[in-house]
Amino acid sequence: MNTFVFQSPTKVCFGENSAATAFDVVKDFGGSRPLLLTDKFLVDNNLIDSIIDGLKDGGLTEPFVFCDVPSDSDVDCVNSASNYAKENGCDSIIAVGGGSVMDTAKATNICLSLGGDLLDYQGLNIIEERLRPLVAIPTTAGTGSEVSFVAMIKDRVEHRKLVFGSRFLAPDAAILDPVLLVSLPPKLTAATGLDALTHCLEALVASVTNSAVSDALALEAARLIFDYLPRATKNGEDIEARGQTLVASTMAGIAFSNSGVGIVHALAHATGARFQTHHGITNAVYLPHGMRFNIAYSSEIYGKVARALGFSKSLDDNEASEALVAAVEQLLEEVGLPNTLRAIGVPEMKDAELDEWVTLVTEDPAIIFNPREATAEDIIAIYKRAY
Ligand SMILES: NC(=O)c1ccc[n+]([C@@H]2O[C@H](COP(=O)([O-])OP(=O)(O)OC[C@H]3O[C@@H](n4cnc5c(N)ncnc54)[C@H](O)[C@@H]3O)[C@@H](O)[C@H]2O)c1
Ligand SMILES: [Fe+2]
């Protein structure tokens, strides 16, 4: 049996309109002058009003709001946000948004707490001390960043995503408020849901680091996504479906933080960094291909998952694994997501460009946890199949 360590330091609070409690929650962890980090869409559509009211009611008459966060945020944005926080004497952060905002908040917290150059902290386990209080409020149900130990920040000069990984990056609290997701359009609902499903299916087969504790979370999260994502995509106002997919993405976030992800994420990170495709949509395209690549090494687990989720009754693991991949493909179709790289705007790569991209894939930390080692030829073959 594997030895394992499982940890999940984040307090999780769930409830309709629970975002309004953000100031109280950050105070519980010692914050008194939080930076409110969010994006422009959420400000313009009054989605953070209840949080601002909470800050004002608590005595912060002019809350410190930084909302200039682009999708796939970058190093410049983190530097601007941390300068703004330092100039205003902020001692903590409330992040409200999708993965881009939450990852920006984690990286901003590094600069705010430790000072110096953000780039000096990239890599795994470089940060070894507690940071300032951070409360994360996700407005997409996908990345799991509200509980994860990582932040991905774009380096626009080098066209790559920088990875920051440390248990001290996990937010102190996550507030899950399904009401904030009502405005999320169907395509983003589907894409972010597939990101969460990829976290589940990669964590379950991840080599070395996985455990029964993490597997239980990943399996139940996958069940919730298969059951509720079509509903949340068809009717954004279905609060039950929004809530269930939100809880699922948080559970999947805890699972992959402990077990790791795999080749699908490595392919998606490299493709997203190069061609600006959305993380969830890119995972969705690669997921069936990554799973088929892994079947030879992971059929026992895929088979169990397929039977547990009711996609197959077969005791033949290979047959059951194929049924699980087919269920993923059917889900993609049901929620209206494209299933080729061409359809999501990735140009055809050849020769030197392809070689450079393969290097990005093989150097991505996510690939370390994949159950099957992938050669450059394997990666190119998956790319061609997904194209
Ligand atoms: N840290 C982690 O553990 C982790 C895991 C997976 C992905 N990521 C990162 O997360 C990022 C992707 O995050 P994402 O998929 O949540 O998308 P996102 O944060 O980039 O947001 C995508 C778009 O959705 C909009 N949006 C967000 N919430 C909305 C709402 N409620 N209503 C309407 N529009 C809304 C945003 O304004 C933005 O335009 C990538 O940078 C990826 O690398 C991080
Ligand atoms: Fe992801």
Side-chain angles (χ1 to χ4, degrees), residues 142-144 152 192 194-196 198-199 202 256 261 265 268-269 279-280 283:
T143 67
M152 311 277 303
T192 46
L194 260 294
D195 184 20
T198 307
H199 296 155
E202 294 213 284
F256 89 75
V261 277
H265 267 79
H269 289 154
H279 176 73
N283 272 328

Side-chain angles (χ1 to χ4, degrees), residues 245-290:
T245 51
L246 190 52
V247 170
S249 71
T250 299
M251 291 164 70
I254 298 171
F256 89 75
S257 294
N258 283 279
S259 294
V261 277
I263 191 165
V264 176
H265 267 79
L267 292 159
H269 289 154
T271 307
R274 202 32 76 89
F275 303 113
Q276 283 73 50
T277 51
H278 180 264
H279 176 73
I281 294 186
T282 323
N283 272 328
V285 171
Y286 282 122
L287 182 56
H289 302 284

Side-chain angles (χ1 to χ4, degrees), residues 42-83:
L42 300 171
V43 175
D44 291 347
N45 289 276
N46 304 77
L47 288 170
I48 58 162
D49 286 3
S50 72
I51 302 169
I52 299 236
D53 290 345
L55 289 165
K56 287 185 175 165
D57 291 348
L60 268 187
T61 44
E62 284 188 37
F64 310 108
V65 182
F66 185 95
C67 66
D68 214 0
V69 181
S71 207
D72 269 337
S73 171
D74 54 36
V75 175
D76 288 347
C77 172
V78 171
N79 287 333
S80 304
S82 58
N83 287 338

Side-chain angles (χ1 to χ4, degrees), residues 110 114 121 123-131 164-169:
I110 298 174
L114 306 177
Y121 300 100
L124 299 184
N125 299 322
I126 307 294
I127 298 159
E128 293 179 315
E129 59 189 287
R130 279 191 69 82
L131 305 181
F164 301 82
S166 157
R167 70 192 166 96
F168 295 106
L169 285 177

Side-chain angles (χ1 to χ4, degrees), residues 39 41-42 47 71-73 97-101 103 106 139-140 143-145 148 150-152 161 180-181 183-185 188 192 195 199 256 265 269 278-279:
D39 79 16
F41 175 90
L42 300 171
L47 288 170
S71 207
D72 269 337
S73 171
S100 298
V101 168
D103 282 8
K106 290 173 173 175
T139 64
T140 61
T143 67
S145 182
S148 81
V150 290
M152 311 277 303
K161 282 267 188 147
L180 293 180
L181 279 80
S183 55
L184 194 66
L188 272 171
T192 46
D195 184 20
H199 296 155
F256 89 75
H265 267 79
H269 289 154
H278 180 264
H279 176 73

